Amino acid sequence: MVAKKDIDWGNLGFSYHVTDKRYVSMYQDGKWDDGALISDDKIVMSEDAGVLQYSQSVFEGLKAYETEDGHIVCFRPDLNAQRMYDSALRLEMPPFPVDRFVEAVKETVRANEAWVPPYGTGATLYIRPYMFGISPVIGVKPADDYMFRIFTTPVGPYFKGGAKPIVVRVSDFDRAAPRGTGHIKAGLNYAMSLHAIVDAHKEGFAENIYLDPATRTKLEETGGANILLVDQDNTLVIPASDSILPSITRRSIHYVAENYLGMKVVEREVLLSEVEKGEFKECGLCGTAAVISPIGKINDHGKEIEFSNGMEKMGPVMQKLYDTLTGIQMGRIEAPEGWIVRID
Ligand code: PLP
Ligand code: COI
């Protein structure tokens, strides 16, 4: 065990810290090189790089945890590898091989072991794989050369206040077009959400709920997390759409709810009008960064929809899901085969 960095782990927010090592691999002459860990956190590139001109970039987010018995683990990195593969194909980028992605994640976390927050602090090591077009392009076309990198940064809760319910608003902006790029993790999806999130924060909301862009009647997701709902019969209801990101946390919660908690789970289109009628008693956001963040209220243009948990704490169903999921991630509860990948 290496000595941990001297950090006030319990008070970390979701922000970037430069850690010791990052992984880099270059795609040139039609192939990925062997890749290596390096110390330099800066990147030098052409003023005309594909990423700078036409936003050719995709990324991922996953976490490393210290478990109760002192090991360092990652949660389902193979699914992030596959999603990044799919994201790359959609933006005409050469996909980084899935098995190499998983190995590179392990190497990067191992090289930054001193930055993995100690068990029980509530903090985790956030891992950010990303790749982008680095060679010059001036006509609108894919770059020839690409850089794949992974850095890590220790983080605390994504939303201030940790597990306290948040208030979100229904956004007038759209996040993703039908048949667009909402289902992949491309930087461009986040660039176009920045105005909406800055405006939401100005108005006192933690996030935006986006509606389906075709009809603006169905719930999609927020800028950085999928939505979970619990109906009056305690069924977990998950909004389905082709233009939301297939969250790994959400897919894991679906499995946990059915197989660990014996719950009924339905993935289907969810109308905003159903939510307004009070058909759901609990609501939350889920994602790697958000984990499960309870929603206290949704504000739809001044009309408030309140959930039964109120503004003080998570509802009982979200709490059970949260405890089981984080129990699996931190090694307190036995994980399904292949979910937990040991680093050390
Ligand atoms: N939806 C969006 C738009 C996201 O950015 C994220 C974060 O990765 C998620 C959902 C949650 O996905 P995951 O659980 O795989 O982190
Ligand atoms: C994540 O949960 O990993 C995300 O990418 C959400 C946000 C930080 C973009």
Side-chain angles (χ1 to χ4, degrees):
M1 262 289 196
V2 300
K4 298 277 183 197
K5 299 284 173 182
D6 184 18
I7 289 178
D8 183 6
W9 304 104
N11 285 312
L12 281 174
F14 196 86
S15 57
Y16 171 68
H17 299 258
V18 182
T19 55
D20 296 336
K21 297 284 179 188
R22 62 273 307 124
Y23 181 91
V24 185
S25 178
M26 283 295 298
Y27 183 89
Q28 276 171 321
D29 302 322
K31 59 180 190 310
W32 289 104
D33 70 13
D34 289 343
L37 289 168
I38 62 163
S39 298
D40 191 358
D41 60 316
K42 304 291 189 295
I43 299 170
V44 176
M45 69 177 95
S46 164
E47 62 187 359
D48 190 35
V51 62
L52 298 180
Q53 301 310 322
Y54 303 126
S55 298
Q56 203 185 10
S57 89
V58 296
F59 72 101
E60 271 304 324
L62 67 160
K63 284 176 172 173
Y65 310 81
E66 188 172 283
T67 59
E68 192 169 27
D69 59 357
H71 293 295
I72 296 173
V73 302
C74 272
F75 186 67
R76 311 190 76 181
D78 51 319
L79 297 190
N80 295 94
Q82 185 61 50
R83 192 168 63 189
M84 190 151 165
Y85 194 101
D86 299 339
S87 297
L89 289 178
R90 178 65 177 77
L91 293 196
E92 288 295 332
M93 304 165 90
F96 196 72
V98 166
D99 53 341
R100 282 199 56 196
F101 177 108
V102 174
E103 277 314 306
V105 164
K106 287 192 200 170
E107 266 186 55
T108 315
V109 172
R110 214 174 279 129
N112 293 292
E113 198 185 326
W115 296 90
V116 180
Y119 175 77
T121 57
T124 50
L125 189 73
Y126 187 71
I127 306 163
R128 173 53 63 88
Y130 59 113
M131 61 182 268
F132 53 92
I134 199 166
S135 55
V137 290
I138 195 69
V140 177
K141 68 177 182 69
D144 290 328
D145 302 341
Y146 294 84
M147 186 180 263
F148 170 89
R149 292 175 78 105
I150 304 176
F151 69 75
T152 60
T153 180
V155 294
Y158 191 67
F159 293 107
K160 277 192 225 96
K164 281 252 179 180
I166 54 173
V167 183
V168 299
R169 72 165 183 194
V170 175
S171 175
D172 285 330
F173 297 100
D174 292 328
R175 173 184 173 274
R179 296 170 292 280
T181 55
H183 62 298
I184 63 160
K185 210 161 164 62
L188 59 92
N189 291 338
Y190 300 81
M192 50 63 54
S193 76
L194 295 177
H195 177 60
I197 192 69
V198 168
D199 191 60
H201 288 165
K202 237 187 264 168
E203 301 285 320
F205 302 106
E207 253 290 7
N208 290 291
I209 287 195
Y210 293 100
L211 301 178
D212 74 296
T215 71
R216 300 194 55 79
T217 58
K218 297 171 232 164
L219 299 192
E220 293 253 293
E221 61 174 329
T222 67
N226 281 181
I227 297 172
L228 306 170
L229 296 144
V230 179
D231 74 9
Q232 303 298 346
D233 299 325
N234 282 335
T235 298
L236 179 64
V237 179
I238 299 174
S241 160
D242 291 340
S243 49
I244 65 176
L245 193 76
S247 159
I248 293 161
T249 315
R250 179 253 291 170
R251 285 181 267 163
S252 305
I253 289 168
H254 185 146
Y255 183 90
V256 161
E258 275 177 346
N259 295 284
Y260 283 62
L261 302 174
M263 289 174 64
K264 187 165 169 228
V265 184
V266 181
E267 296 200 15
R268 64 164 173 89
E269 292 184 339
V270 175
L271 295 169
L272 178 61
S273 60
E274 293 178 72
V275 186
E276 289 185 335
K277 272 189 232 147
E279 299 200 354
F280 301 101
K281 53 184 184 183
E282 292 184 41
C283 183
L285 300 181
C286 71
T288 298
V291 193
I292 295 180
S293 301
I295 292 180
K297 291 182 206 167
I298 298 177
N299 187 301
D300 178 16
H301 301 87
K303 197 164 25 162
E304 287 205 321
I305 308 161
E306 287 185 42
F307 295 96
S308 61
N309 40 285
M311 289 304 297
E312 280 310 305
K313 58 179 198 331
M314 263 194 210
V317 180
M318 291 293 161
Q319 188 71 53
K320 244 187 331 192
L321 292 169
Y322 178 94
D323 290 344
T324 314
L325 178 71
T326 54
I328 289 170
Q329 290 167 333
M330 307 276 175
R332 294 186 295 266
I333 296 174
E334 193 174 344
E337 177 87 29
W339 280 25
I340 299 296
V341 172
R342 276 231 348 226
I343 301 295
D344 59 343

